[in-house]
Amino acid sequence: MDPAHRGRIATSLIFLMFGAALGVWTARIPAVKATLGLSDGRLSIALLAFAAGCITGMALIGRLTDRFGSSRVLVPAALLEGALLIPPALAGGLVTLGVALFVFGAVHGTLNIAMNANAAEVERAHGRPIMASFHALYSIGGFLGAITGSLFAHAGLSVATTLISVGLVAVALAALASRWVLPSSPAAVHLTDSDDRGAAGRRSLLVLFGVVVLCTLVGEGAAADWSAVYLRDDLGTSEGFAAYGYAAFAIMMTAGRLVGDRVAGRFGSVTLIRASGLIAAAGLGLGLLIGHPLAGVAGFGLLGLGVSCVAPQFFSAAAGVDPSRAGQALSTVVSIGYVGFLLGPIAIGAAATAVGLPTALWIPVALAFFVTLSAGSIRVARRPDALSGERPAGAA
């Protein structure tokens, strides 16, 4: 097996592990809250520490990834991801839980950048779109992690038993993957911004990419936090039926990522992004207009299908703007995008207080239209001359 195929298997395993670690932790949050006797407000402080750690890791790791090569950051971060899943289970109070989650979040954010940078290198080695397949495995990993956490909970096993067991498996999986990770070399040349005429253009483009990803993650956060509330409280369904909204979103997102690479390879990234934004906007919009429970579930499902391939395509494009600075590029895009996942549901909640949740849910609809309008920016990323101000050879 050639190095590119071994590298794809290794990076796929790490994406799977990355999703599973987060999924199992999320599934056991209620048990952690009960064990430590935390109120909702005190728990939110601990969860904010995890988010702060993620943003810190994502913001700072780009230059290290570029300096040492993505694989040299990816392997230790993947090993630590599993190991650091354990301390939150052993925390004795809010302070120790907050510290443990901040450190876990910092490594989680670091791994996010490193594995996407390495995935972009593997994609270039293959010479065809494969980024969405990695993110599909992340989604599958999250589902498997959540199911595993739920099974441990139903069996009456403690949080410590759950996270120690899964953490050790994650370390073993990362160690296995590390043997096949596609080696990467540090960039041979690092130009300073003053020497690089295209630096300002690249920064602007990457900020736009980050804003587009932010728009999709607002939709993802809305589905996670508000779909069940909308179906139960506004459409009058049972609590059990209300859970189908996010289930449909998650299933369709995974399905979209499984086929996204083939669609991008056949029709191109720009067409895929335009169609994705339209599917997300039209799907959720029609669901809200019809106002029936089944339409609501279908609307969230189409939202999941629509946003499924947007982030992978923009991550791939960001890493290709300047391969020697792929880590820094991804730090910019992922950090901005992650703000949408954190603050989007809060913004929708604030809007719902003022105008009602059905109206507030038109926010992700509008943002999906913006994604469609921004699709052409990926084409700019494929043209270095457009960023540097230089004309390609033979241009008139």
Side-chain angles (χ1 to χ4, degrees):
M1 189 183 302
D2 65 80
H5 283 88
R6 288 199 301 268
R8 182 176 184 179
I9 293 172
T11 307
S12 296
L13 287 174
I14 291 174
F15 268 83
L16 184 72
M17 181 271 290
F18 182 83
L22 186 60
V24 74
W25 158 248
T26 301
R28 298 313 319 254
I29 287 176
V32 171
K33 179 183 180 228
T35 300
L36 298 181
L38 300 176
S39 65
D40 289 342
R42 289 167 67 83
L43 176 64
S44 67
I45 294 173
L47 298 179
L48 183 62
F50 173 78
C54 285
I55 292 174
T56 300
M58 289 186 293
L60 298 180
I61 204 61
R63 290 185 181 275
L64 291 179
T65 300
D66 295 337
R67 181 175 180 180
F68 298 106
S70 66
S71 61
R72 296 182 184 180
V73 177
L74 175 68
V75 171
L79 292 170
L80 284 171
E81 174 86 357
L84 290 174
L85 187 60
I86 297 172
L90 306 178
L94 176 62
V95 174
T96 52
L97 177 63
V99 171
L101 287 178
F102 178 85
V103 176
F104 176 49
V107 171
H108 193 75
T110 295
L111 181 57
N112 195 346
I113 300 301
M115 71 185 192
N116 275 290
N118 192 258
E121 294 175 13
V122 174
E123 185 177 57
R124 284 194 293 271
H126 277 262
R128 58 186 174 85
I130 59 172
M131 181 66 83
S133 68
F134 293 123
H135 286 258
L137 286 167
Y138 161 70
S139 298
I140 292 170
F143 173 77
L144 293 176
I147 291 296
T148 300
S150 177
L151 291 175
F152 272 74
H154 283 302
L157 298 173
S158 68
V159 175
T161 300
T162 305
L163 298 187
I164 290 172
S165 300
V166 175
L168 292 176
V169 171
V171 170
L173 194 63
L176 176 65
S178 68
R179 301 176 59 187
W180 279 9
V181 167
L182 183 69
S184 55
S185 300
V189 177
H190 292 278
L191 299 176
T192 64
D193 287 347
S194 61
D195 296 327
D196 188 351
R197 289 184 295 172
R202 279 196 293 271
R203 282 196 299 270
S204 299
L205 185 64
L206 293 172
V207 169
L208 174 59
F209 285 3
V211 171
V212 174
V213 174
L214 180 151
C215 291
T216 65
L217 292 185
V218 168
E220 185 172 343
D225 289 8
W226 293 107
S227 59
V229 176
Y230 168 71
L231 289 168
R232 183 191 62 201
D233 295 349
D234 293 283
L235 299 186
T237 70
S238 67
E239 187 170 347
F241 186 92
Y244 293 155
Y246 185 68
F249 175 90
I251 291 170
M252 294 300 286
M253 170 176 272
T254 303
R257 288 174 170 175
L258 287 173
V259 302
D261 291 325
R262 279 174 284 177
V263 176
R266 181 170 182 179
F267 299 104
S269 297
V270 174
T271 299
L272 173 60
I273 297 301
R274 284 175 178 160
S276 295
L278 288 175
I279 289 171
L284 181 58
L286 286 173
L288 293 171
L289 287 173
I290 294 171
H292 187 276
L294 290 178
V297 171
F300 283 110
L302 289 172
L303 176 66
L305 178 63
V307 303
S308 62
C309 293
V310 176
Q313 292 301 314
F314 277 95
F315 289 168
S316 177
V321 168
D322 181 358
S324 70
R325 294 191 182 102
Q328 295 176 59
L330 285 166
S331 287
T332 299
V333 175
V334 177
S335 297
I336 295 173
Y338 194 69
V339 171
F341 188 77
L342 291 177
L343 301 184
I346 297 173
I348 290 173
T353 301
V355 299
L357 183 56
T359 301
L361 285 173
W362 282 91
I363 294 174
V365 175
L367 294 179
F369 274 118
F370 176 78
V371 170
T372 296
L373 296 175
S374 303
S377 61
I378 283 189
R379 186 180 291 117
V380 177
R382 306 285 193 248
R383 293 174 50 215
D385 59 289
L387 300 175
S388 65
E390 298 175 357
R391 293 184 179 182

